[in-house]
């Protein structure tokens, strides 16, 4: 299975990533991806920017383990995970999880599981710039519920 | 051994890393009782009011996990990536 995990400050191209996934996983007929971008408002406040902190080393290991878990559950031909760090602006790309499988069912499920796990297990933290300063984004219990559901 | 702090906890601590000399292996819970915030409160006390997660050698663990004299331990708030 083709695997690419990147944590980077630079932007990424969705087109280039999907083209790479398609080329590198020749048997795959089904490609599914999720991508997340910086929103311009949260909790009724204007968000002017987003700073992303991570735990170097541990985050890479965790993303690797998440891909391992997806590959254990489904027959996958390729996975690309890209997550940005540092200072981002509204509209900027944050994350991409893209999966190649033989059929759509596996691709949809693996993509959703990896995003759910990433949300609750990968050591990234978001800090928003709002009109009167900054605030750390709070974890949502609904995210934990979604991750736990995969282990049921 | 090295203790790392991230995100809001790093800001509360006023530093991202401290060195602690352990005479013998201990647990994450015991280590939390040894570490003090700038306001004098221990990390154990602080974790009663806010969720603080821990990792030993880059694996998520609970308070019962063992910390060796050479471990890399990290404390941080619940993660919010994606």
């Amino acid at each position: 299975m083709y695997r690419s995990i990147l944590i980077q400050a630079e932007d990424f191209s969705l087109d280039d990533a999907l083209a790479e996934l398609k080329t590198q996983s020749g048997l795959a007929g089904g490609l599914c991806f999720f991508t997340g971008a910086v929103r311009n408002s949260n909790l009724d406040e204007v968000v002017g920017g987003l700073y992303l902190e991570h735990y170097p080393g541990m985050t890479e290991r965790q993303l690797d383990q998440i891909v391992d878990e997806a590959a254990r559950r489904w027959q996958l031909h390729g996975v690309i995970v890209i997550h940005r760090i540092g200072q981002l602006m509204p509209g900027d790309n944050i994350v991409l999880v893209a999966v190649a499988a033989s059929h759509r069912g596996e691709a949809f499920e693996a993509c959703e599981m990896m995003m759910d796990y990433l949300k609750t297990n990968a050591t990234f933290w978001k800090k928003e710039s709002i009109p009167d300063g900054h605030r750390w984004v709070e974890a949502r219990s609904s995210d934990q519920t979604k991750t736990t559901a995969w282990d049921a | 051994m090295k203790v790392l702090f991230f995100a809001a906890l790093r800001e509360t601590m006023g530093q991202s890393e401290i060195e602690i000399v352990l005479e013998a292996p201990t647990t994450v819970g015991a280590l939390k009782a040894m570490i003090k915030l700038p306001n004098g409160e221990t990390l154990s006390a602080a974790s009663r009011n806010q969720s603080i997660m821990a990792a030993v050698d880059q694996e998520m663990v609970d308070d019962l996990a063992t910390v060796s004299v050479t471990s890399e331990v990290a404390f941080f708030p619940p993660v919010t990536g994606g």
Side-chain angles (χ1 to χ4, degrees):
Chain A
M1 186 191 81
Y2 172 71
R3 162 188 315 226
S4 169
I5 297 172
L6 298 169
I7 296 174
Q8 61 187 43
E10 307 78 53
D11 193 13
F12 56 84
S13 153
L14 203 53
D15 287 347
D16 291 353
L18 292 176
E20 184 192 347
L21 183 61
K22 209 168 171 183
T23 311
Q24 299 286 347
S25 30
L27 293 168
L31 266 67
C32 183
F33 73 89
F34 174 86
T35 187
V38 181
R39 48 168 79 210
N40 62 12
S41 78
N42 190 24
L43 305 171
D44 297 327
E45 291 215 71
V46 174
V47 172
L50 188 71
Y51 179 75
L52 265 147
E53 180 169 331
H54 82 305
Y55 182 172
M58 179 164 176
T59 318
E60 286 82 352
R61 284 171 55 149
Q62 290 172 306
L63 293 179
D64 212 41
Q65 287 167 2
I66 291 169
V67 175
D68 285 346
E69 180 59 23
R72 194 182 66 76
R73 293 181 185 223
W74 294 283
Q75 181 73 42
L76 305 178
H77 298 302
V79 174
I80 290 181
V81 179
I82 307 175
H83 203 298
R84 294 182 67 196
I85 50 171
Q87 186 60 49
L88 305 178
M89 301 305 285
D92 283 354
N93 292 320
I94 305 175
V95 63
L96 170 70
V97 169
V99 179
S102 295
H103 303 287
R104 71 180 185 285
E106 296 141 306
F108 274 127
E109 288 188 2
C111 188
E112 186 170 17
M113 190 221 82
M114 283 192 283
M115 266 314 297
D116 288 347
Y117 267 60
L118 185 154
K119 278 274 186 189
T120 54
N121 290 19
T123 40
F124 292 103
W125 300 272
K126 288 179 180 148
K127 189 182 194 180
E128 291 174 335
S129 308
I130 52 175
D132 52 1
H134 297 91
R135 68 178 172 205
W136 290 96
V137 174
E138 303 259 341
R140 301 186 329 162
S141 60
S142 57
D143 286 334
Q144 190 57 55
T145 307
K146 291 195 71 167
T147 297
T148 309
W150 288 106
D151 299 325
Chain B
M1 53 145 323
K2 192 158 71 167
V3 182
L4 308 174
F5 306 102
F6 289 96
L9 191 58
R10 171 176 55 73
E11 291 183 343
T12 305
M13 290 299 296
Q15 51 197 342
S16 57
E17 187 176 330
I18 58 173
E19 278 290 326
I20 293 182
V21 178
L22 285 181
E23 308 266 312
T26 183
T27 63
V28 168
L31 193 62
K32 277 162 97 171
M34 291 167 60
I35 298 171
K36 284 198 171 141
L37 275 59
N39 70 3
E41 192 179 37
T42 64
L43 207 52
S44 333
S47 62
R48 283 180 212 119
N49 305 320
Q50 56 182 301
S51 188
I52 296 176
M53 303 172 84
V56 173
D57 296 325
Q58 306 191 350
E59 292 285 345
M60 297 266 204
V61 295
D62 62 26
D63 281 1
L64 299 175
T66 302
V67 176
S68 83
V69 296
T70 56
S71 289
E72 173 181 298
V73 178
F75 294 106
F76 43 81
V79 301
T80 54

